[in-house]
Amino acid sequence: VHGHVLQSDGRHHHARETEIHRPKQRRALLLSVLVTALMMVVEFVAGMLTGSLMLMSDAIHMLSHASALGMSLLAIVIAKKKTGGQFPFGLYRVEILAALFNGISLAGFSLWIVYEGILRIIHPVVILGPELTAVALGGLVVNLATAMILRRAGLEDLNTKSAFMHML
């Protein structure tokens, strides 16, 4: 089935419905989910081996990243599905709902960080330095790398932009 698509310069071109919706963003999100999930496992195992609650909690933090990225990827996949006459504008609004979910989870996670920070001021915790620092730096590199991957894929849609903001 062919349709007409209006390009940004005002010209029309034919597009097949079987084309992948947002291919660059889709690849970037998939790669970001995989890298983030791998780092999550590394942090959890390192936390178990070193006895570091911080690394295990950061692994849960990485799970929140992987979930947000996965939600954005799923929204792109769902948005391209055929809907028939039931939804005349398609399912593209699913991407907006994913962006909303990412924004709400980012706000909630930020509040949790403030809460935990206050608790740490009140009740300081001894931290194991070298191992924790090495793994934490690895996590930082993964977060920055996934943010760069998403930025290079393009931030013209709200869904990918919200995933980028979550990683940033």
Side-chain angles (χ1 to χ4, degrees):
V1 176
H2 285 81
H4 292 276
V5 177
L6 181 64
Q7 293 180 337
S8 59
D9 62 2
R11 294 181 297 135
H12 285 84
H13 76 278
H14 289 279
R16 294 181 188 264
E17 282 191 29
T18 57
E19 287 180 9
I20 295 174
H21 178 61
R22 301 189 197 285
K24 290 189 303 184
Q25 288 84 358
R26 215 175 186 177
R27 281 190 302 272
L29 285 165
L30 180 59
L31 179 60
S32 296
V33 168
L34 294 175
V35 170
T36 301
L38 176 64
M39 190 65 207
M40 175 192 68
V41 171
V42 168
E43 283 186 342
F44 189 77
V45 170
M48 295 293 286
L49 293 175
T50 63
S52 171
L53 179 60
M54 193 295 285
L55 285 178
M56 288 187 282
S57 66
D58 199 53
I60 294 168
H61 169 207
M62 288 297 226
L63 177 61
S64 80
H65 285 316
S67 298
L69 293 165
M71 177 71 68
S72 292
L73 178 59
L74 181 62
I76 287 175
V77 170
I78 290 172
K80 185 57 182 166
K81 298 279 185 200
K82 292 181 184 177
T83 60
Q86 187 174 17
F87 298 102
F89 296 105
L91 295 173
Y92 293 107
R93 291 189 176 120
V94 170
E95 292 184 76
I96 295 169
L97 292 175
L100 175 64
F101 171 80
N102 284 339
I104 290 170
S105 66
L106 187 57
F109 189 70
S110 297
L111 290 173
W112 180 76
I113 289 172
V114 169
Y115 172 75
E116 286 295 318
I118 291 169
L119 288 180
R120 293 291 172 113
I121 290 171
I122 296 169
H123 304 289
V125 176
V126 176
I127 298 174
L128 303 174
E131 299 88 356
L132 180 117
T133 301
V135 176
L137 285 173
L140 176 63
V141 168
V142 166
N143 283 350
L144 293 174
T146 54
M148 284 177 38
I149 290 167
L150 293 169
R151 189 170 197 292
R152 285 186 180 157
L155 301 176
E156 59 270 356
D157 65 288
L158 185 60
N159 184 27
T160 307
K161 194 173 198 172
S162 74
F164 168 77
M165 293 302 290
H166 191 105
M167 294 311 297
L168 195 59

